[in-house]
Amino acid sequence: MIDFALTADAVAPQLLGCTLTHAGVSIRLTEVEAYLGAEDSAAHTFNGKTPRNAAMFGPPGRFYVYISYGIHRNVNIVCAPEGTGQGCLLRGGEIIEGADIAFARRGTSDFHNLARGPGNLGKALGFTLEDNHQPIQLVERTTEPEWVCGPRIGISKNQEAALRFWIPFDKTVSGRRGYPKK
């Protein structure tokens, strides 16, 4: 059983292979990134609690949904002890139920692209800002998949931190799908 009160970097690899269900669509998580609060300059919570990021401060095991680039609804699972401001950004997943709903929401015909990237994942799953603070619905994996970690992508601060976790070579992973370069 995943203990969401652990730090985000401990929770992140445990999420890979788990199934998340929301608004009629289920995905198998294939890519996540950990954000470590006040010690992580890339975290939304680096400068403290605000009305926008309040959900990230707990309790753990809930959603933090925010608007990215004015259009995307990105989704984090809140981790670490309440008040810490840590979470795991959901970056990619494979649709395993509700593909017809995800296709309609996304307007694409590429199955592997339905939930590849945090904005696409949020749209495929139908997340809105009203889902902020809501408890997650997660079915834990029965076996641990092979996974790797490496630098996060799509951010400008603390880029080299090895806090991105993914299932190597999975077609639903956004960018750098293989093993990290040494």
Side-chain angles (χ1 to χ4, degrees), residues 80 98 146 163:
E146 177 184 2
L163 294 171

Side-chain angles (χ1 to χ4, degrees), residues 47-98:
N47 291 317
K49 190 175 183 179
T50 66
R52 178 184 184 218
N53 71 17
M56 280 281 275
F57 287 89
R62 297 191 178 247
F63 291 118
Y64 164 52
V65 182
Y66 66 94
I67 299 174
S68 176
Y69 298 109
I71 54 172
H72 301 294
R73 302 306 181 264
N74 290 357
V75 183
N76 286 257
I77 294 177
V78 177
C79 303
E82 193 162 354
T84 307
Q86 294 189 28
C88 295
L89 173 66
L90 307 182
R91 286 199 55 87
E94 175 188 10
I95 305 291
I96 56 173
E97 266 184 52

Side-chain angles (χ1 to χ4, degrees), residues 15 17-21 27 137-142:
L15 292 172
C18 292
T19 301
L20 176 71
T21 298
I27 64 167
Q137 293 182 359
L138 187 75
V139 175
E140 294 189 30
R141 64 193 185 202
T142 55

Side-chain angles (χ1 to χ4, degrees), residues 22-23 55 62-65 73 75-76 122 125-135:
H22 184 76
R62 297 191 178 247
F63 291 118
Y64 164 52
V65 182
R73 302 306 181 264
V75 183
N76 286 257
L125 288 169
F127 274 95
T128 68
L129 293 180
E130 288 73 39
D131 296 309
N132 220 6
H133 298 276
Q134 295 302 311

Side-chain angles (χ1 to χ4, degrees), residues 18-37:
C18 292
T19 301
L20 176 71
T21 298
H22 184 76
V25 176
S26 296
I27 64 167
R28 178 183 62 89
L29 294 171
T30 59
E31 180 185 13
V32 298
E33 286 180 348
Y35 288 87
L36 302 177

